[in-house]
Amino acid sequence: SAVISQKPSRDICQRGTSLTIQCQVDSQVTMMFWYRQQPGQSLTLIATANQGSEATYESGFVIDKFPISRPNLTFSTLTVSNMSPEDSSIYLCSVVVGYSNQPQHFGDGTRLSIL
Amino acid sequence: AQKVTQAQTEISVVEKEDVTLDCVYETRDTTYYLFWYKQPPSGELVFLIRRNSFDEQNEISGRYSWNFQKSTSSFNFTITASQVVDSAVYFCALSEAPGGTSYGKLTFGQGTILTVHP
């Protein structure tokens, strides 16, 4: 199974600033995704991080607000831009390893609070 | 569109009681995967099980068991002899099988908060 390291684990930020979250996997993975979990809520998919090309965003999420990079098969970043208190959430990276019988792995998440 | 419904928002039990968490799903896909995850207070998401829609056999893992009923689109999770450490939020999720354009994307239910009292 894949080991996913997500940084930072938590942060407190001022409104109007931006924060970049890193997701590093210990092996090459087929697919990488970013999810958001608002307080007391379920997880919602933000986007699919595509290696070497622009990310694919879900409805309600845009590149200007959540730019994503994936320069190789083991690393991705999610930036939360121009933050407001509504962006206070847990952000989770997840990966799929291959197309065989593999579970979907999640990083430990980044707890983000905006003041 | 896919949808997962966990009708039980919160469940409270006393230790050693059995508890069942319900999950009902909707999908137009003929093949799909169903998942259960546990999210303890520390916040990480712990994978519990993945079930292929082709495999309707029930599964048991220690105190955990899962009942997959394709006819009723349900994938229920039972904890036998619950313990305080089982207290967490439990999520049921659904994804397409490999080959689909949305493979790997998870649709989550709203989650069930389970509290096990000593």
Side-chain angles (χ1 to χ4, degrees):
Chain A
S1 62
V3 176
I4 305 171
S5 300
Q6 211 174 310
K7 293 180 181 179
S9 58
R10 59 178 65 232
D11 207 337
I12 302 172
C13 300
Q14 297 295 322
R15 67 177 68 202
T17 63
S18 299
L19 179 76
T20 295
I21 302 167
Q22 298 180 2
C23 178
Q24 177 73 56
V25 191
D26 68 342
S27 58
Q28 293 186 351
V29 296
T30 311
M31 311 179 81
M32 297 182 78
F33 302 92
W34 287 97
Y35 289 81
R36 180 178 73 180
Q37 185 179 23
Q38 295 177 299
Q41 302 297 312
S42 185
L43 285 82
T44 301
L45 179 64
I46 297 172
T48 304
N50 299 309
Q51 193 261 326
S53 64
E54 197 169 283
T56 305
Y57 290 84
E58 298 298 308
S59 176
F61 297 95
V62 296
I63 187 171
D64 290 346
K65 177 67 177 178
F66 298 101
I68 289 170
S69 77
R70 187 180 172 192
N72 55 52
L73 293 175
T74 64
F75 184 77
S76 177
T77 66
L78 167 74
T79 298
V80 186
S81 304
N82 188 25
M83 289 184 285
S84 66
E86 293 71 37
D87 295 319
S88 297
S89 299
I90 300 175
Y91 292 87
L92 297 105
C93 167
S94 84
V95 304
V96 174
V97 181
Y99 289 98
S100 60
N101 193 26
Q102 298 286 343
Q104 186 135 351
H105 307 270
F106 280 83
D108 286 346
T110 297
R111 287 181 182 271
L112 185 55
S113 297
I114 315 303
L115 301 179
Chain B
Q2 298 183 330
K3 185 178 179 181
V4 177
T5 302
Q6 294 179 254
Q8 304 150 309
T9 306
E10 291 191 53
I11 300 176
S12 182
V13 299
V14 177
E15 209 169 19
K16 296 184 183 178
E17 284 185 22
D18 298 347
V19 57
T20 295
L21 283 62
D22 297 333
C23 174
V24 174
Y25 61 93
E26 296 175 28
T27 180
R28 294 180 181 175
D29 298 325
T30 54
T31 57
Y32 48 89
Y33 288 144
L34 293 162
F35 300 77
W36 275 96
Y37 288 90
K38 174 182 179 180
Q39 189 175 43
S42 48
E44 75 275 17
L45 217 55
V46 178
F47 167 82
L48 296 178
I49 189 172
R50 181 178 101 160
R51 173 63 66 208
N52 186 312
S53 57
F54 279 16
D55 182 2
E56 290 194 63
Q57 278 194 330
N58 292 329
E59 180 152 342
I60 299 174
S61 176
R63 296 184 298 107
Y64 296 169
S65 63
W66 291 269
N67 184 304
F68 177 31
Q69 298 268 349
K70 204 168 181 179
S71 60
T72 56
S73 297
S74 65
F75 186 45
N76 297 336
F77 172 32
T78 298
I79 302 175
T80 303
S82 59
Q83 301 175 0
V84 173
V85 294
D86 295 328
S87 296
V89 183
Y90 290 86
F91 290 100
C92 180
L94 169 68
S95 82
E96 276 190 18
T101 57
S102 294
Y103 172 63
K105 299 181 181 181
L106 287 174
T107 299
F108 284 85
Q110 287 304 303
T112 298
I113 302 171
L114 175 64
T115 304
V116 182
H117 299 282

